[in-house]
Each structure stands twice: as C-alpha cells, then as structure tokens.
Amino acid sequence: MPAQIWKLAIRRTLTPHLMAGYTSFLLTLSFYIFYYHFMIKLVGIGEAPKAIGVTPLTLRRRDESGRLKPDMITKGGKRRYDLARLQPELYRKADAVSRKTVAYARVASHDQKLDLEHQAQVLQAYCPAQGWSNEIITDLGSGMNYRKKGLKRLLDDIVEDRVGRLVITHKDRLLHFGSELVFAICEVRGVEVVILNRGEDTIFEEDLAKDVLEIITVFSARLYGARSRKNARMIEDIRAAAEREDAS
C-alpha cells in the first residue's frame, strides 16, 4: 500500500510541483510525510504476527527470506508493518456501496462564511439528486494548511475505508497545493471523486491572496526581528566601545 501511494505521488504530484516551484514541492512532500506517519496504521513486531496468526520468529524469517518484507524500518532497526496489508479483509470489508458519500466544503476565513454556506447548499442539493445519502464536512482554514480538522477527519475516513465517494465543488477546496495527492490516495483506496465545477474557482484568487499575505507577514516578522536583534547588538557594541574609550 505505501509503495502504491508513493508511486502515484511521484507521478502525479511531486514531479509537477518540482517543475512548478520548490515551495510547492516542499508543501506536497510535507503532506505526504504527514500522511505516511499519521494516517497509515503501522504496527511493530509484537502486534503484526498476531494479525496473520504466526509467531514473531516466523515473521522475522519471512522478512529474511523476502516473503514478507516490512513496510518501514525505523532508525533503530525496528520493523513496522501496515495492518491494511496484513489484514485486508478487515480494512476493506466495506464495499463501495456500503461506504458513505462525503461532501467537503472549505473557505479560508470567517468573513467567507456566506461562501461556505453556499458550497454546503450546493453539495446538499446535488448529492440527494443523484440518490446519494451523504455526510458533509465543512472546514475553515487556508488552502495551504495541511492540518485542518476537517481535512484530517476526511483523510482518516478515507484511509479507514469508510468513504466510497468524495464530492467537492472545486478541486482547490481541498488544498491549493497537494490536491492531486489526495486524489491519488482516493484512487488507491477505491474512492470515487466527484468535482462539480472543473472550471476556475471564483474565490480561489481571494484565498490565494490571503495565503500569500500570510506568508509575507511571517517572513517579514522574522526579518524585522532579525534586524532588531542585529541593531541591538550594534548599539551594545558602540556603547561598549565608548565606555572603553572613556576608561582609557
């Protein structure tokens, strides 16, 4: 499973973002790292053998023989296995029909509350019209924020095979950078993605402008802080030099 996600991420997301810019690449990579470490259910040599009914010694032998390699090895040399690969019957027991349809809506700030309500209304009208009983997740936060509560909840449901269909009004409602990676995860987990409007998002530019301003604010604060410390040190050096001159 991790290998499939990684290949899809490289092909569909990381390579295009490398071409688009270093910042986009870092954002996408950080999201993948977050997903891999927090969303995939990795277990150690103590729990993994129980999942397949063998002893830890047998599991180690299978690793050495190449029959069952771990999904990850920690810096300390500990084996970690993905439970979804060891017990697919438990993690994929719900088929696409029984899994739920989730509609996801997001805006960047509180002053876009009306836009959020509009997205929710559109989604709530569309899904029943298709005969889908749906759950809606509304989110508030920047399109560059990978740790929004609603997004984390959505990804957790997708990884746990509780979602069979994801419905959004625009691609950028998920993330400004990295939405293709979410779609790749959906493909691996067998989740249908429905995008109502594949044209330009009317509030995308406004969201992006706020994201850029947020980045500029953070870096400006750091820059001015560094300059302030530098100026303070310069003043202290001048004062110390003056005191030494007076003393002599």
Side-chain angles (χ1 to χ4, degrees):
M1 182 62 62
Q4 289 176 292
I5 295 174
W6 177 248
K7 289 177 182 177
L8 285 168
I10 290 291
R11 186 171 70 251
R12 298 189 175 189
T13 308
L14 298 185
T15 301
H17 281 318
L18 275 172
M19 297 173 64
Y22 184 63
T23 301
S24 299
F25 168 71
L26 288 180
L27 287 170
T28 302
L29 183 59
S30 65
F31 178 75
Y32 174 76
I33 293 172
F34 164 77
Y35 168 79
Y36 187 83
H37 284 284
F38 294 100
M39 304 303 289
I40 293 178
K41 306 302 180 183
L42 296 176
V43 295
I45 196 68
E47 187 175 348
K50 299 176 184 178
I52 55 177
V54 300
T55 65
L57 179 59
T58 299
L59 193 60
R60 290 190 180 95
R61 287 175 176 171
R62 290 185 181 181
D63 176 17
E64 293 169 358
S65 66
R67 291 176 58 193
L68 183 58
K69 287 291 186 181
D71 294 279
M72 185 181 78
I73 297 179
T74 67
K75 291 182 179 179
K78 303 294 184 180
R79 298 173 176 85
R80 294 291 182 265
Y81 294 86
D82 180 10
L83 268 182
R85 184 164 68 98
L86 297 177
Q87 294 181 311
E89 71 282 358
L90 295 182
Y91 280 77
R92 288 193 172 277
K93 60 184 177 182
D95 57 24
V97 176
S98 62
R99 290 185 291 172
K100 62 186 177 182
T101 294
V102 174
Y104 179 83
R106 178 195 66 83
V107 292
S109 59
H110 288 283
D111 58 7
Q112 294 177 312
K113 184 178 179 180
L114 291 178
D115 290 322
L116 184 61
E117 293 176 355
H118 175 69
Q119 285 182 53
Q121 290 171 0
V122 170
L123 293 169
Q124 290 286 41
Y126 179 83
C127 291
Q130 308 303 312
W132 304 333
S133 176
N134 71 287
E135 170 188 330
I136 187 162
I137 296 177
T138 57
D139 225 349
L140 180 66
S142 166
M144 298 174 69
N145 179 3
Y146 288 71
R147 295 182 178 272
K148 295 186 292 290
K149 290 183 179 179
L151 181 62
K152 290 170 67 176
R153 174 184 162 194
L154 172 65
L155 288 173
D156 186 58
D157 282 350
I158 290 173
V159 171
E160 294 291 346
D161 280 328
R162 292 192 287 263
V163 179
R165 183 182 296 108
L166 171 62
V167 185
I168 51 179
T169 55
H170 294 83
K171 179 181 73 173
D172 296 316
R173 291 305 88 203
L174 283 172
L175 292 163
H176 289 331
F177 304 106
S179 58
E180 294 298 335
L181 181 55
V182 178
F183 297 152
I185 295 170
C186 287
E187 181 175 335
V188 170
R189 307 306 286 189
V191 178
E192 177 188 1
V193 178
V194 179
I195 304 174
L196 304 189
N197 188 346
R198 294 184 177 273
E200 184 178 356
D201 190 345
T202 55
I203 61 175
F204 169 75
E205 292 183 359
E206 183 179 348
D207 282 357
L208 190 58
K210 290 183 178 180
D211 291 337
V212 172
L213 286 174
E214 183 178 339
I215 293 173
I216 292 174
T217 300
V218 171
F219 279 95
S220 295
R222 291 181 179 178
L223 178 62
Y224 292 143
R227 287 180 175 175
S228 297
R229 290 191 295 271
K230 183 178 180 180
N231 291 337
R233 287 195 299 269
M234 185 182 300
I235 292 172
E236 287 297 325
D237 291 341
I238 293 173
R239 183 180 293 118
E243 290 175 353
R244 287 195 298 270
E245 184 69 22
D246 292 340
S248 62

